[in-house]
Amino acid sequence: MPHNNYLYQTRDIKFAIKEWLDMEKLLSCDAYKDYYGLDDFDGFIDVSFKICRDVLCPANKDADEIGMKFVGGDEHAVVSPDSFKAVYNTVCEAGLGPQFANRSEEGRMPLSWYAPILEMQSGASPAIVMFWCLTAGATTVIQNNASEELKERFLPKMFSGEWGGTMGLTEPGAGSDVGACSTKCYPTDTPGLYKIKGQKCFITSGDHDLAENIIHLVLAKTPDGKPGTAGINCLIVPKFWVNEDGSVGAWNDVTSTGIEHKMGIHGSSTLSLSFGENDNCYGWMIGDGPVEGRGKGMAQMFQMMNEERLNTGTFALGCIGSAYYAALDYCKIRVQSPKFTDPKGPSVRIIEHEDVRRMLMFQKAITEACRALLYQTYFWQDLSHDAADPAERKHYDDLTAINIPLCKAYVSDMAWVSIEQAIQCHGGYGFIEEYAPASLARDCKIYSLWEGTNFMHAQDFTGRKSTMRDGEPMKQWLAIIADFIAEKKSPEFAAEFAMMEDSFAAYREIVATVEDWRVNKPQNRQLFGTRVLHAASMIICGKLMLDQALLAAKKLAELGEDHFDANFYKGKIATAKFYVLNVVPGVFGTLKAMKAADTSAIDCPEDALM
């Protein structure tokens, strides 16, 4: 699959949304009942597919090979390839850009319907999708926290895509340790207006020529700000000043000082920015100002960060899917060597060789397991916003919170592993840039680093998410899995349910061990945190895949072997079996390693790490 050949498939996407998830429950909520029926999803996904195939994917070659060029200056410091303009305008005009983030608009699209669109866009061009996704995230913070006057001033043109948006967290000395923020904001005589001074780096879409203006959400501290995250505020800092009537004014002393030369996603502009080099940069405080040095910036920015963490998992899924479909296409046409069972026979397509089939099934299983995990979480997130019963909203909000670190960290970790298998399927051609998996491997690696490196999410999962409200939400999460295993047993999947029973028992031992270590061996929890997160992800994905297999078996029995969709359902069943019987057993290895409780990694003297 060359850079500009879009092979993405939508059948499993439609299965997950229209057949598997209880979408009727969501569409009966007040936010959607007068606007959408289940079949309306097809229109959105079909239009998105055509845009991805005909517009985004052809521009991906320019994204990777030309990329964004830094030219400096106060206007547009970064220039994009010409093909980007058509992509950006087409996506925004189709309503598939930042418009989806307008959560106050009547007839808005459910987030669980937008997730597949985002997946497909990322699969078409991992870099270009950034330009509207970061804008959408920035609007979330403004919608939820800013004054009505600021909403009216900034949101309409951000929703339309006329203006871009960023999140300005990272600094040279404050990466994952956001509390070390040194950017300052100084109050002026105008209430809510602050002068800004400081530097930020690794700012995705920090500047470009696709939008008229860039609206930065900047984390900064007042001179009396408390140490750590407690003293952080969040401010709206436009590159060009926005007047009261919404018109664009003078340059706001936001300087792009350089573009990062990255391993992948070359078509996404990642910049270093300087605010107030000429002492003339201003921004509006979001919400109430700080009180005695305490700001609300981190709580506000976390609304965007949690959204972007789910999105990051979805971006990773798009890369996984594109690499898999490219490998599948290649293996169907590449002829090499006779079958193992017929050594003197003719050479056959490599899809007929056992290990190639294993690699393809692994990629298919990872694609569908990660898709199920993400779509389930977006579905829960929708219900957390739109269910009528406050108790039900809280329940789904808790479940979403628990799943977010799994969606971000597990999916992005598996992207690197699965795309490596896609490269392997191509043999030597996989190492050649002409074929898509090479660039996808470079592109996907950023996802385990973005929005908090993945170990931070392992800490979150084994720490705050496991203990919040005395562990009650986590007990509910575990009960969902336990009840499924106990209640859904089927003779047709006897081996798979037996594996899930044993694996879930092992996972419960893992949970108990983590709880013991929380008090007695806290460093061990750090050493094994990532492995525990992966084990939890395997367990929930195993449950989801087996749930889908039960539905697929039912559909297959109803439709019969001769139906045109029979092979799809057979594939769902086989993929679930493979995931449960080949991937989920990784839980046992984690438990065995935890029982051994090896600490050589931290016991080894630093100077011996040679």
Side-chain angles (χ1 to χ4, degrees):
M1 172 184 153
H3 284 286
N4 61 348
N5 187 10
Y6 191 66
L7 300 172
Y8 224 82
Q9 303 294 309
T10 62
R11 181 63 184 91
D12 188 59
I13 289 172
K14 291 184 178 181
F15 168 82
I17 297 294
K18 296 184 65 180
E19 300 175 56
W20 175 56
L21 292 172
D22 186 4
M23 201 53 64
E24 296 293 350
K25 175 184 176 71
L26 179 63
L27 296 182
S28 69
C29 294
D30 288 345
Y32 311 111
K33 66 182 182 182
D34 294 330
Y35 300 97
Y36 298 116
L38 190 57
D39 288 338
D40 290 325
F41 176 74
D42 291 333
F44 288 115
I45 211 70
D46 293 344
V47 168
S48 178
F49 177 84
K50 291 175 183 176
I51 291 174
C52 288
R53 181 193 62 196
D54 300 338
V55 185
L56 264 82
C57 194
N60 192 52
K61 186 176 177 67
D62 287 350
D64 189 50
E65 296 182 1
I66 300 174
M68 303 294 278
K69 300 299 183 183
F70 184 73
V71 296
D74 298 342
E75 290 293 324
H76 296 301
V78 177
V79 176
S80 65
D82 291 341
S83 58
F84 280 27
K85 281 79 169 177
V87 171
Y88 189 78
N89 291 337
T90 299
V91 169
C92 290
E93 287 171 4
L96 300 179
Q99 296 93 335
F100 85 92
N102 187 351
R103 307 316 293 167
S104 62
E105 184 180 39
E106 289 190 9
R108 67 183 184 273
M109 187 190 302
L111 292 173
S112 51
W113 284 23
Y114 191 73
I117 294 170
L118 202 59
E119 173 193 339
M120 293 166 63
Q121 290 174 341
S122 176
S125 182
I128 299 177
V129 69
M130 293 300 114
F131 292 110
W132 50 88
C133 281
L134 268 293
T135 303
T139 67
T140 295
V141 179
I142 297 172
Q143 286 178 85
N144 292 343
N145 303 282
S147 67
E148 291 302 317
E149 190 277 328
L150 291 177
K151 290 179 189 178
E152 291 174 9
R153 187 180 301 196
F154 290 100
L155 288 177
K157 290 189 177 180
M158 295 180 75
F159 287 140
S160 70
E162 293 170 82
W163 296 347
T166 77
M167 53 193 304
L169 285 77
T170 307
E171 299 179 2
S176 297
D177 183 10
V178 180
C181 167
S182 63
T183 299
K184 292 286 188 274
C185 58
Y186 303 91
T188 68
D189 292 337
T190 303
L193 185 66
Y194 286 71
K195 181 175 283 190
I196 315 294
K197 289 188 78 71
Q199 287 78 40
K200 299 290 181 180
C201 63
F202 297 151
I203 306 305
T204 303
S205 303
D207 194 41
H208 53 84
D209 59 354
L210 302 176
E212 177 188 21
N213 200 359
I214 308 292
I215 311 303
H216 303 285
L217 300 190
V218 177
L219 295 187
K221 292 184 176 182
T222 54
D224 65 343
K226 296 286 185 182
T229 57
I232 289 177
N233 306 282
C234 186
L235 300 99
I236 300 173
V237 185
K239 178 174 181 176
F240 297 102
W241 193 246
V242 179
N243 300 314
E244 288 187 18
D245 62 359
S247 61
V248 175
W251 177 56
N252 191 33
D253 197 12
V254 178
T255 304
S256 300
T257 58
I259 193 168
E260 308 298 346
H261 301 283
K262 306 185 295 294
M263 171 179 165
I265 57 168
H266 301 144
S268 171
S269 53
T270 308
L271 297 181
S272 298
L273 301 175
S274 181
F275 297 87
E277 281 190 352
N278 302 294
D279 201 34
N280 197 33
C281 179
Y282 294 88
W284 293 101
M285 182 70 67
I286 297 179
D288 299 330
V291 177
E292 296 181 351
R294 291 187 176 276
K296 298 179 180 179
M298 278 308 297
Q300 294 166 350
M301 189 62 85
F302 256 110
Q303 296 166 11
M304 179 178 183
M305 289 169 68
N306 277 327
E307 183 176 301
E308 295 306 325
R309 286 166 176 173
L310 263 182
N311 288 349
T312 298
T314 309
F315 300 150
L317 173 60
C319 291
I320 293 170
S322 270
Y324 166 59
Y325 297 128
L328 179 63
D329 182 68
Y330 181 83
C331 291
K332 284 181 176 180
I333 60 175
R334 172 72 162 138
V335 175
Q336 183 172 295
S337 302
K339 285 187 176 183
F340 173 76
T341 54
D342 185 16
K344 294 184 179 180
S347 293
V348 297
R349 298 169 304 139
I350 62 174
I351 197 171
E352 299 180 58
H353 296 313
E354 289 83 355
D355 195 56
V356 171
R357 189 65 71 89
R358 175 195 62 81
M359 290 190 289
L360 289 172
M361 184 59 87
F362 176 79
Q363 295 167 67
K364 185 176 190 293
I366 294 301
T367 301
E368 294 180 16
C370 291
R371 181 177 288 143
L373 175 64
L374 281 157
Y375 288 14
Q376 173 78 89
T377 307
Y378 279 104
F379 178 71
W380 284 346
Q381 187 178 50
D382 277 330
L383 290 172
S384 76
H385 295 156
D386 298 315
D389 181 5
E392 191 176 11
R393 290 199 299 271
K394 181 60 180 171
H395 171 69
Y396 287 115
D397 187 60
D398 288 340
L399 294 177
T400 301
I402 290 171
N403 265 17
I404 282 177
L406 309 183
C407 290
K408 195 279 183 187
Y410 180 68
V411 179
S412 60
D413 279 344
M414 295 312 295
W416 184 251
V417 175
S418 186
I419 294 172
E420 181 274 330
Q421 293 283 279
I423 292 172
Q424 194 72 16
C425 284
H426 282 76
Y429 289 102
F431 204 65
I432 294 174
E433 291 289 347
E434 179 184 348
Y435 291 85
S439 64
L440 288 166
R442 291 185 283 101
D443 290 344
C444 85
K445 193 66 201 85
I446 189 60
Y447 303 131
S448 66
L449 310 174
W450 263 351
E451 301 305 326
T453 53
N454 280 356
F455 173 63
M456 293 179 64
H457 296 279
Q459 287 180 303
D460 179 42
F461 181 76
T462 61
R464 189 171 67 88
K465 297 297 170 59
S466 294
T467 58
M468 61 182 184
R469 299 211 314 278
D470 296 324
E472 281 303 314
M474 181 59 75
K475 290 175 185 175
Q476 294 174 21
W477 187 85
L478 291 168
I480 289 172
I481 302 170
D483 291 347
F484 171 81
I485 295 171
E487 297 170 6
K488 298 289 186 177
K489 281 185 183 180
S490 164
E492 185 175 355
F493 298 99
E496 290 74 28
F497 273 100
M499 179 64 77
M500 285 299 298
E501 280 185 320
D502 292 346
S503 301
F504 188 58
Y507 182 69
R508 283 197 178 278
E509 286 192 62
I510 288 172
V511 172
T513 303
V514 170
E515 288 307 304
D516 177 66
W517 285 349
R518 197 181 305 281
V519 176
N520 297 317
K521 296 180 180 178
Q523 274 193 294
N524 281 17
R525 188 164 68 86
Q526 302 291 94
L527 276 174
F528 286 86
T530 294
R531 284 172 278 183
V532 172
L533 180 144
H534 280 204
S537 302
M538 292 173 199
I539 288 293
I540 186 66
C541 284
K543 180 263 180 189
L544 298 175
M545 290 292 280
L546 200 44
D547 191 33
Q548 290 191 350
L550 289 168
L551 175 59
K554 179 175 179 288
K555 294 271 189 174
L556 184 60
E558 292 171 353
L559 297 173
E561 294 281 337
D562 296 332
H563 193 272
F564 69 88
D565 243 355
N567 279 334
F568 169 75
Y569 292 116
K570 289 178 182 178
K572 288 301 298 180
I573 293 167
T575 308
K577 286 175 175 282
F578 183 92
Y579 189 88
V580 171
L581 297 178
N582 292 272
V583 179
V584 172
V587 174
F588 301 125
T590 296
L591 177 59
K592 198 164 185 69
M594 291 175 74
K595 285 183 175 179
D598 172 53
T599 57
S600 57
I602 54 177
D603 295 339
C604 179
E606 181 180 329
D607 291 343
L609 293 169
M610 62 178 67

